[in-house]
Amino acid sequence: MNKLVMFDLVVAVVCTILGALPVSAFAQQQQQPPPSTAATNKVFYLFNSHVPDANETKLGIPTDLFAPSTITVNKGDTVTIHFFNIETTEPHTFTLAAPYNIDTNVPQGQNATIVFHADHAGVFQYYCKYHLPTMIGQLVVQ
Ligand SMILES: [Cu+2]
């Protein structure tokens, strides 16, 4: 048996073995664990922001915003929001109506820590009482 025939035989044996393996042997290596939906502590840093270069007087509406404007958690999570008012001239609130009933006023240059249990699923609007209709965000409890 020459070397070329020997090589062909080895290749044929290896291919036969690989072909006999179940597809799941390869698929298993690529499976990712599902995303966890177990209740956890979720921490967010929230800031007041504003539309740059916008003239509030000319527009007739506030240009204040929340950053981020969406907070997403899972039902059952304990949510901690560190809300920073980085402005030097006016207060802002973090207000979340029923069923959460949160209304935290934060004077200029200060911050507040808001902690609650996300025990109601759905989409809830949070807002600043002083800067509607623009300073709003969404709490998504999935
Ligand atoms: Cu505000």
Side-chain angles (χ1 to χ4, degrees):
M1 195 182 295
N2 66 32
K3 282 184 179 176
L4 191 58
V5 171
M6 187 67 176
F7 177 77
D8 286 347
L9 263 176
V10 169
V11 168
V13 168
V14 168
C15 287
T16 303
I17 291 169
L18 286 176
L21 284 174
V23 174
S24 63
F26 298 99
Q28 268 182 347
Q29 293 172 355
Q30 295 176 359
Q31 281 179 354
Q32 299 287 325
S36 173
T37 53
T40 58
N41 294 313
K42 297 266 170 57
V43 178
F44 298 90
Y45 289 83
L46 183 68
F47 301 87
N48 66 290
S49 181
H50 66 96
V51 180
D53 303 323
N55 185 330
E56 282 190 349
T57 308
K58 204 170 176 180
L59 294 171
I61 55 170
T63 57
D64 300 87
L65 305 168
F66 274 115
S69 60
T70 302
I71 291 174
T72 303
V73 300
N74 293 319
K75 187 181 176 188
D77 284 348
T78 298
V79 183
T80 301
I81 297 174
H82 299 291
F83 177 33
F84 287 79
N85 182 348
I86 59 173
E87 206 147 4
T88 56
T89 55
E90 57 187 356
H92 295 286
T93 72
F94 178 87
T95 306
L96 189 57
Y100 286 101
N101 298 313
I102 295 166
D103 187 18
T104 303
N105 186 78
V106 183
Q108 53 270 35
Q110 296 189 27
N111 64 79
T113 298
I114 299 140
V115 181
F116 62 96
H117 192 240
D119 47 7
H120 302 276
V123 179
F124 308 92
Q125 188 179 79
Y126 56 83
Y127 59 96
C128 168
K129 290 193 297 191
Y130 310 129
H131 298 104
L132 285 173
T134 58
M135 195 170 173
I136 60 172
Q138 282 189 329
L139 168 70
V140 180
V141 182
Q142 54 195 10

